[in-house]
Amino acid sequence: MKIHTGDYGLRGEILSPMETLAQSVSTIAPTSTPAATIPLVAALAGNGTWLAYLLATIAILLVAWCISRFAKFSASPGSLYTYASMILPPWLGAVAAWSLLLAYVATGSSVIGGFYHYTNQLSIDFAGRGFSTVALALLVTGASVWIAMRDVKISARLMLWIESVSLLVILAVLIPVLIRHGIHLDSDQFHLRGMTGSGLRLGLVLALFSFVGFESATTLGAEARNPLKTIPRAVLQSAVIAGLFFILSAYSEVLGFHMAGQDLGTSDAPMHVMAGVAHLPVLGVLIDLGAAVSLFAGTLGCITAAARVLLLMSHHGLAHGAFRATHARNDTPTLAVLATGIAAVAPVAVLAQRGSSGLDVYGWMGSLATYGFIVAYALVCVALPRYLKNHGAYRPGAQIIPWLAFIAMLAALVGNLYPVPEGPYGKLPYIYLAYLAAGMVWFVVQKRSEKNSPLKS
C-alpha cells in the first residue's frame, strides 16, 4: 500500500469524508445537467433520455469500480495518471497524464461558459441587461483561483454547501411534477415511443459527459483523511448519487414537458418550464441562481483537481519543475493553480470576445474534455488486472469488469467520432490529438535529457 501524504508539500489528511466527496460532486457540477445537458440528450434520444442516462450510469459504475480498486491500495495527488503509470509503459502513462490534465482544464472552461450564460440570464431577468461575458469569465476564474490557493479545506466545504443547496432546489421542482402525474409510469417513455437506435447512441455519448470528473476525489490522495478508505467510497458514492439524480431528472423533465405540451429538446429554459408545471414558478429563478453558483463550484473543483495533477506531473518530469512548488503557509500548489486557472479561462475569454454563447462554450469545451476523460478511464481499466495481481488481490474473473468498462469507454469514443460531428465539434478530435502530440514531444525530450544527463546515476 502506498500513501503519499507529505511528499509533495501538501497538507496531509485534513479533509473529512464529506469534504472529499464534495470534490468529486462539484467537478461533476450536477446542477448544470438538468438545465443544460439533458435537453441536448432529449433532442437526440427523445423518450429514451432516461434510458441513455441509465446506460451511462452503468458504464460509469463499471469505471468507478475499477478506479476504486486502485484507490484502495494507493493514494497520491496524481489521480488516474498515477494508477496508469504504475502498470503501463511510460509513454502510455504520459498519455494518461496529459489526457487527464486536459480533461480537468477543459471541463473548467466548459463550466466557466455555463457560468456566464446563467449569470447573464439572471441579470437580464432582474435588471434588463447583461454583463460583459469576458469580465464574468475572468471574475469566476479569479475567485476560484484565489480560493484554491488559500486553503483546500475551505474550498471543499464551500463546494459541499453549494452543491447540496442547488440539488435540493432542483428536487423541490422535480418531485412535485412526479406527484402531479401520479404513481403510474409515463407510457411514452416506458415504451420508448419515437426513439431511434442512432439517437440513443448519440444521446448516450452526451449523457456520459454529465458524469465526467466523478473520480476527481482521487486527486486529494495526499489531503484526505484515511485516503485508502475515504477516496474509494467517494468515487463510488459520487457515481451512484449522480446517476440516480440524472435518471430522475431525465425522466421527470421529459414527463414535465409532455404535461406542458412543449419540446424539451428545443427549450432554452427547461427548469423554468418545469417550475411552472410544478406550480412553483419562483423556483425557476432559484434554479438558475443555483446553476450559476454550482458552475462556480465546478470551476473551483476543476482547478483544484487540475493543479494537483500538474503538481505530480512536474515531480515526474512531465511538466516544468516550477509547478511542484507549494505555498509555505497554505500548503497549496500555488503556481499550478494559477497555471491551470489561466489555461481554463483563456479559450473562454477568446470565444466570449468573439460572441460565442455560454451554452456553445459549455458544449464545445465539455466535448473536448470528454476525449481526455474517456482515454484516461480506458487506460486505467486496462491496467487494473495486472495491478491487482501485483497486490495479491486478483481473483478469478477479476478482469471481466475492467474489460467491460474498457469496451464501454471505447464505444463512447467511437460514438464521439462517428458519424463525424458537424461544425466546431468535428474539429475537436484534431485539437485533442494536436495537444496530445505536443505533450508526447515534451515527454520524449525530457526522457532524452534524463538519459544524456551527466548526473544520471
Side-chain angles (χ1 to χ4, degrees):
M1 298 184 184
K2 299 180 180 179
I3 308 176
H4 304 290
T5 54
D7 300 349
Y8 306 106
L10 302 171
R11 192 174 303 169
E13 301 196 37
I14 62 167
L15 298 177
S16 70
M18 285 300 293
E19 291 164 342
T20 304
L21 175 63
Q23 169 62 37
S24 280
V25 173
S26 65
T27 306
I28 296 172
T31 308
S32 64
T33 287
T37 310
I38 287 178
L40 299 177
V41 178
L44 297 166
N47 285 313
T49 301
W50 69 271
L51 180 58
Y53 273 98
L54 174 62
L55 295 175
T57 299
I58 293 171
I60 288 298
L61 285 174
L62 292 173
V63 176
W65 182 86
C66 295
I67 294 172
S68 70
R69 296 296 291 170
F70 272 103
K72 287 183 69 174
F73 295 99
S74 177
S76 82
S79 183
L80 308 188
Y81 155 51
T82 301
Y83 304 154
S85 64
M86 287 189 292
I87 298 299
L88 301 176
W91 70 273
L92 277 179
V95 168
W98 287 105
S99 295
L100 193 62
L101 181 63
L102 172 72
Y104 286 134
V105 169
T107 303
S109 300
S110 174
V111 293
I112 291 170
F115 174 84
Y116 78 64
H117 168 78
Y118 281 102
T119 301
N120 264 340
Q121 188 167 301
L122 286 166
S123 177
I124 291 170
D125 288 343
F126 284 103
R129 61 185 297 273
F131 296 100
S132 162
T133 53
V134 175
L136 287 173
L138 293 173
L139 175 65
V140 69
T141 307
S144 298
V145 166
W146 182 79
I147 295 172
M149 285 182 175
R150 290 281 295 174
D151 190 339
V152 68
K153 193 171 183 69
I154 294 174
S155 63
R157 287 181 176 177
L158 179 63
M159 291 184 291
L160 177 62
W161 281 106
I162 287 173
E163 292 300 338
S164 298
V165 173
S166 299
L167 290 176
L168 286 174
V169 174
I170 289 182
L171 289 174
V173 169
L174 299 182
I175 291 174
V177 170
L178 294 175
I179 291 174
R180 281 199 62 203
H181 183 69
I183 61 174
H184 56 284
L185 292 172
D186 180 9
S187 61
D188 286 346
Q189 293 191 71
F190 182 72
H191 295 291
L192 305 176
R193 188 163 290 125
M195 186 197 78
T196 64
S198 61
L200 177 63
R201 176 176 59 83
L202 294 173
L204 172 59
V205 172
L206 275 175
L208 284 172
F209 171 63
S210 295
F211 290 87
V212 296
F214 76 94
E215 79 303 322
S216 65
T218 57
T219 63
L220 303 178
E223 295 155 292
R225 291 179 203 154
N226 197 5
L228 300 182
K229 289 186 177 179
T230 299
I231 291 176
R233 289 174 183 169
V235 169
L236 290 169
Q237 288 169 351
S238 62
V240 171
I241 291 170
L244 293 175
F245 176 70
F246 294 154
I247 294 168
L248 174 66
S249 297
Y251 177 82
S252 301
E253 284 187 60
V254 174
L255 172 63
F257 272 74
H258 285 170
M259 295 168 68
Q262 298 186 37
D263 182 7
L264 174 59
T266 60
S267 177
D268 293 328
M271 298 314 296
H272 281 265
V273 176
M274 291 293 291
V277 173
H279 297 309
L280 297 167
V282 67
L283 291 185
V285 176
L286 288 179
I287 289 173
D288 284 345
L289 177 61
V293 178
S294 176
L295 289 161
F296 162 65
T299 306
L300 175 58
C302 290
I303 291 174
T304 298
R308 279 147 182 80
V309 173
L310 183 57
L311 168 78
L312 195 66
M313 289 173 64
S314 177
H315 276 276
H316 291 180
L318 292 178
H320 195 279
F323 295 123
R324 72 185 65 175
T326 54
H327 194 279
R329 183 176 67 255
N330 298 334
D331 296 327
T332 54
T334 307
L335 287 178
V337 167
L338 182 62
T340 52
I342 292 173
V345 76
V348 182
V350 171
L351 291 170
Q353 182 63 38
R354 297 181 63 178
S356 299
S357 74
L359 289 183
D360 280 341
V361 173
Y362 177 85
W364 296 335
M365 300 307 296
S367 296
L368 178 61
T370 303
Y371 290 112
F373 278 117
I374 287 175
V375 169
Y377 293 162
L379 289 174
V380 167
C381 293
V382 167
L384 179 60
R386 183 177 168 189
Y387 182 81
L388 293 177
K389 285 182 180 179
N390 292 348
H391 286 79
Y394 187 82
R395 299 290 182 272
Q399 59 184 344
I400 294 176
I401 292 179
W403 279 108
L404 287 175
F406 173 77
I407 291 170
M409 293 302 100
L410 184 62
L413 186 61
V414 172
N416 265 291
L417 298 174
Y418 181 82
V420 178
E422 298 179 358
Y425 288 94
K427 300 176 182 177
L428 296 178
Y430 301 103
I431 294 174
Y432 170 69
L433 290 174
Y435 161 86
L436 197 58
M440 296 311 293
V441 168
W442 175 273
F443 170 75
V444 172
V445 170
Q446 288 299 104
K447 287 300 179 183
R448 286 182 177 177
S449 297
E450 292 176 8
K451 184 177 181 180
N452 298 327
S453 172
L455 299 178
K456 189 178 184 297
S457 55

